[in-house]
Amino acid sequence: MQIDRPMPEGHSTVADAPPDNWVDRYAPVGWRPWLRLSRADRPIGTWLLLLPCWWGVGLAMIAGNPGWRDIWIALACGIGAVLMRGAGCTWNDITDRDIDDKVARTRSRPIPSGQVTVRGALIWLAAQSLAGFAILLTLGSAAIALGIASLALVAIYPFAKRFTWWPQVFLGLAFNWGALLGWAAHTGNLAPAPVLAYLGGIAWTVFYDTIYAHQDAEDDALIGVKSTARLFGRDTARWLAGFGIASVLLLVLAVLATGAQGLALVLALLGVAGFAAHLAWQLLRFDMTDSAGCLRLFRSNRDAGLLIALFLALAGLV
């Protein structure tokens, strides 16, 4: 694939990508627009898609019969998260191309800036999706069915901000599906524990993506795009506290639903406690008028989710 036309000097990178990201520093020049389209220069989204998958695997291990296959499930979830997050971002940018060119933070993305055509983006979307499906085929019939079902959520999400003030809920429905899939890949079925973790993940997504959305609140208001950041307005901190508490309580219930006992229960709940402390830390530092601070807090949620994933894995091994 060829870049459609050369970009003016200083405009080839994406505005909200970390300045030292690996794509701009090390990737071959011809691949950079495609990797940017997949948000490979901003890996936080991949982490936020992956971590609920690992929660699901960890909860399943606690519930019983951890084994060597869990290593492959965790690795497959990692590869799949990279591919499907890339596919989802590509689809999002295709559908949002007429919005992104009106928002300061997003007009430098590959499609609105002219680095990639819509036709090229569609081909790239298909390539990533097929590779992700190949990984999914290794995870068993229950996980395959869940993976296919998730495509409806992925397809709908980019349009949510056009018809609801709650697009962050739709993002949560799509991004936390891995809690169900990770459990199903291990057990071959579903149970209350992963469903509770899924719901807790949705509440977490509303928490972190509302913080993220405050970066664009003014531009969104001008062009009529809806978000929880605009809906909550000056009451955002109170709403964030509510969703944070809901997320923590649901994750506690998810742990209890596994039947964990003894040291496994203690370790799993310690992970949730660390997660709760991290959300509280974010709330104390949240300032809706500080766009750079909102981006830093949003990115810090990788660490919040990793705390749970790590302790669930430890609990599953004891």
Side-chain angles (χ1 to χ4, degrees), residues 162-220:
R162 294 166 169 84
F163 63 80
T164 178
W165 287 101
W166 297 87
Q168 280 67 30
V169 172
F170 283 82
L171 180 66
L173 289 168
F175 254 54
N176 294 280
W177 198 258
L180 306 176
L181 195 149
W183 174 284
H186 175 103
T187 65
N189 56 43
L190 284 179
V195 173
L196 289 164
Y198 177 56
L199 296 174
I202 293 170
W204 177 44
T205 300
V206 175
F207 179 96
Y208 66 64
D209 203 58
T210 299
I211 294 174
Y212 182 81
H214 268 290
Q215 298 176 91
D216 301 327
E218 292 185 5
D219 285 337
D220 287 349

Side-chain angles (χ1 to χ4, degrees), residues 50-87:
L50 169 61
L51 288 167
C53 300
W54 283 355
W55 296 357
V57 178
L59 289 168
M61 291 170 61
I62 294 170
N65 302 317
W68 289 106
R69 177 169 164 73
D70 291 317
I71 297 175
W72 168 246
I73 294 173
L75 180 60
C77 286
I79 299 170
V82 171
L83 292 167
M84 295 315 295
R85 191 258 179 152

Side-chain angles (χ1 to χ4, degrees), residues 225-249:
V225 169
K226 298 177 174 67
S227 72
T228 49
R230 289 187 60 207
L231 177 65
F232 300 160
R234 295 185 180 276
D235 289 331
T236 293
R238 181 168 58 87
W239 280 94
L240 291 180
F243 279 104
I245 291 169
S247 181
V248 170
L249 291 178

Side-chain angles (χ1 to χ4, degrees), residues 282-302:
Q282 291 183 59
L283 273 173
L284 290 172
R285 285 156 180 78
F286 172 67
D287 177 358
M288 60 183 285
T289 66
D290 180 7
S291 293
C294 286
L295 183 59
R296 284 193 298 272
L297 289 178
F298 167 73
R299 289 174 175 163
S300 76
N301 280 278
R302 179 201 65 175

Side-chain angles (χ1 to χ4, degrees), residues 270-282:
L270 278 175
V272 178
F275 173 81
H278 199 290
L279 298 193
W281 172 84
Q282 291 183 59

Side-chain angles (χ1 to χ4, degrees), residues 94-116:
I94 291 169
T95 60
D96 280 359
R97 61 190 183 278
D98 294 330
I99 294 176
D100 286 346
D101 65 358
K102 297 177 178 65
V103 178
R105 186 177 59 83
T106 58
R107 64 170 57 105
S108 58
R109 287 179 177 175
I111 294 177
S113 65
Q115 297 176 63
V116 173

